[in-house]
Amino acid sequence: MAGLNDATAGLQAVHQNAAILIDACLTHGGRISEEELEPNTLATLRRHRLVFDVDEDYGYVQVSRVVADLLHHLTQSYKRQLLAGAGHDIVNDLEHITESYRMAEQTGSADLLLRETEAREAVASLIDMLRQTILRFTTYIHSDFSMVSDLDQRIHENKRAIEDAKALNQFFDSLMPSYLKKLAGRSPTLQTLLMKLLRRNLDRLRADLLDATHSLRENLARLERDRTVQHYSHLIDDFYKHYLRNPGYQPDPSMLDRVQTLPQCFIPGEGMKLQASSDIENPAQHEELRGLLAQALERLAPDERVAQEDANETIVTVVEQRNAVMQEEEDPFATAINQFFEAIPALILQASAVSAMDAHQTLSVEEPGDVWLLAVWTRYLTLLADRQSDCDYIAQHVEQVLETFSGNREVRDIHFRSAVQ
Amino acid sequence: MSFDPLFRGTVEQLITGAIICPVTEPEKFDYLADSVSIDKVQHYLAQIGRGLSCTRDGNGYYAVALDLDDKGTRARIRNEFERITGQWEPLIRWLRMSQQVAADKHPIAFNDTVSEGDWLKTIEASSALQEELEIICLKMQIKKAQDARQRLRALFEKLQKDGFLKSKGPSGALFQATARWSLLKDQMEFVTQQEGIIAANNARAAEDHQEQEALFHGRSE
């Protein structure tokens, strides 16, 4: 009954001073300034062991860890727990309780039920502690360590969480089945409690811990990548702003003289050009070169060589000549006509008449004489039309009357004479 | 001693001044990842006055000069520094543009895949990006391109020729970033430190802030 009364009074004290305790735990790391408290309030908190004095000269009282844990549990705002310490304390308690239980079981003690209750409570406490700790890791991962804003701080917290997970993993290692079996001994009750209930929970929690550790490592890699990218982005932005503020800026090469050790990124080895060429002028090399050439040709398979030769033969090179000017050779007949008319002014000075048929023969025109005469007469008429009255010579038909066709005359020749007579 | 074609190919690549990375030469990069092979290569290079170095992110190997006391070497290094850094402004503008164009808003880095089609789509949708592209082409002395498509194509070709990108796939419009970007980043970090660029920018930003505050509060100097 005394215990019950103490518990009731204690909880009432917590309830009455809830605001002070919450503010201290969540904001001030569990510290309460003595000057801020009424003497009666301070006395009540001390009496129910809700606070304790760290040092008489400190000026603060510290909220009891049990109360702080309760508040952090309620608000899911765990600070770092001394995992190994907390876990080992519970396990030490469990060892003591199971030993006491085995003794009570052997002697048929009246405390057997009490020890069984204590054992169940210890196991439940251990399971709960481990579950809450692993839950904390999961919370960190889902929140991306957002309780801190700086990227470096997040990386720091992530690394610490990974270390905590490693420590917890080692703690799990210490609770091997062989160890639990030793604790349980021959007691059926303890065997059920430790080898079934506790062990089943440990297996499940261990799997959760492995998942959480894996996620923490992935998260850390992602945060470190983000930090690298952030640093790189800042580097680029700084340079960009520098170029904007200093147009035409170029880094000063004299900085290389100021440093004690040159950075390797700026001391590249002079690139060597690797080339090889055979001395084809040297007759001593000819035989070897012929041999190399023959080998190179032999590497081509016969059918490939034939195909290549076929390809060479059938390849048609298309040359684009859309805008090209093509010279077409003048028709020999037209050339003869032009030559004759170019020669007429000179010929009429030397002869009284220049015969078109003589020119036909001289120029070796292939076309028949009547075609020649027709073309000459057409050209003459065209010249007359172009020059109008300005022509140095005149042309006359040389005609012959056709006997059988009355009134018809055949033009046998065309004579050109000087127009000045 | 038996002939090792991978050793020969790796050494030849290094002494011609190339960067070996998983994008450009995956086999040779894996060869250098082996401690025995890397020792062999370093030993050989040392005999011709060269060493083997790696980008800070470990993604690219390149040969470096060892004899830094030689006057000719120092002069060449200085000339090379001027040549390299003289081309930085358009490259940095390009990097900045890549932050705006990329889906993840990250600047181009080693191993990133770059799609000419995606870039063109984003650039054509923004007049600011088109203007920036024009400035980049001007500073890279690409003159013949008339529109965004031609400019982008010319830039990708230039970056490929300079070893920053490698063509991927048969289409010719997909590229992968090489470790040349990693080397550029290392170089930029060195210059930033030496020139005090970050401090200068912060000081200037603080001055600008004070001026703006003075204007806001109606104070004048």
Side-chain angles (χ1 to χ4, degrees), chain A residues 89-142:
Chain A
D89 286 344
I90 298 175
V91 168
N92 285 340
D93 284 346
L94 190 60
E95 279 183 358
H96 173 74
I97 290 163
T98 51
E99 192 182 341
S100 303
Y101 180 88
R102 286 198 303 276
M103 282 171 59
E105 200 178 42
Q106 279 170 6
T107 60
S109 167
D111 295 324
L112 186 63
L113 190 60
L114 172 67
R115 295 305 184 191
E116 186 182 329
T117 306
E118 283 176 349
R120 288 186 189 281
E121 195 178 339
V123 166
S125 180
L126 179 61
I127 292 169
D128 187 53
M129 187 217 79
L130 293 172
R131 186 184 298 139
Q132 292 299 330
T133 306
I134 293 167
L135 183 64
R136 176 164 64 95
F137 294 138
T138 311
T139 307
Y140 283 162
I141 292 159
H142 286 152

Side-chain angles (χ1 to χ4, degrees), chain B:
Chain B
M1 187 184 298
S2 57
F3 170 62
D4 185 350
L6 203 49
F7 171 82
R8 185 187 78 175
T10 304
V11 165
E12 281 178 355
Q13 196 85 3
L14 288 168
I15 62 178
T16 56
I19 298 177
I20 292 179
C21 76
V23 170
T24 54
E25 299 282 353
E27 210 178 42
K28 294 182 181 104
F29 185 82
D30 289 340
Y31 178 74
L32 288 171
D34 176 61
S35 57
V36 171
S37 307
I38 204 171
D39 280 346
K40 224 163 88 172
V41 169
Q42 280 178 322
H43 177 70
Y44 182 90
L45 288 176
Q47 295 175 74
I48 54 171
R50 277 152 176 77
L52 185 66
S53 187
C54 187
T55 54
R56 267 207 208 161
D57 59 9
N59 288 321
Y61 289 100
Y62 54 97
V64 296
L66 284 183
D67 182 15
L68 300 177
D69 294 329
D70 177 56
K71 275 189 185 171
T73 305
R74 296 289 294 214
R76 186 181 57 75
I77 287 171
R78 200 181 162 104
N79 290 340
E80 191 64 13
F81 176 93
E82 287 182 11
R83 185 190 69 79
I84 291 170
T85 57
Q87 300 166 1
W88 274 7
E89 190 180 347
L91 277 176
I92 285 166
R93 283 179 174 264
W94 173 266
L95 279 169
R96 200 162 168 278
M97 183 188 269
S98 69
Q99 284 175 288
Q100 298 162 46
V101 171
D104 56 7
K105 304 299 172 198
H106 291 174
I108 289 179
F110 162 77
N111 209 31
D112 283 351
T113 298
V114 179
S115 162
E116 188 177 347
D118 291 346
W119 270 66
L120 184 61
K121 202 168 147 190
T122 309
I123 288 170
E124 283 181 336
S126 160
S127 55
L129 286 177
Q130 286 178 45
E131 273 180 36
E132 184 65 14
L133 184 67
E134 202 175 333
I135 293 172
I136 293 171
C137 280
L138 198 66
K139 292 192 181 285
M140 279 195 178
Q141 298 176 346
I142 294 170
K143 293 172 187 167
K144 287 188 181 170
Q146 302 293 326
D147 57 18
R149 180 184 292 273
Q150 288 180 0
R151 287 189 189 108
L152 196 61
R153 170 51 26 186
L155 269 171
F156 274 121
E157 280 174 5
K158 179 154 174 45
L159 288 171
Q160 198 178 352
K161 189 179 158 204
D162 291 345
F164 285 95
L165 295 176
K166 184 174 178 190
S167 182
K168 191 175 159 184
S171 68
L174 213 56
F175 301 89
Q176 203 163 6
T178 69
R180 190 71 184 82
W181 295 106
S182 305
L183 184 63
L184 173 65
K185 189 176 156 206
D186 292 347
Q187 292 169 337
M188 282 166 64
E189 281 177 350
F190 172 75
V191 171
T192 304
Q193 281 170 14
Q194 293 302 312
E195 298 269 76
I197 287 175
I198 296 173
N201 280 345
N202 288 343
R204 187 61 191 263
E207 275 176 28
D208 290 344
H209 180 68
Q210 282 175 2
E211 278 177 23
Q212 285 171 17
E213 268 199 354
L215 285 170
F216 181 72
H217 292 296
R219 295 195 297 268
S220 58
E221 291 179 0

Side-chain angles (χ1 to χ4, degrees), chain A residues 231 238 249 264 267 270 272, chain B residues 15 50 53 65 189 195 201:
Chain A
H231 171 75
D238 284 328
Y249 161 74
Q264 298 212 317
I267 50 169
E270 186 177 9
M272 289 182 183
Chain B
I15 62 178
R50 277 152 176 77
S53 187
E189 281 177 350
E195 298 269 76
N201 280 345

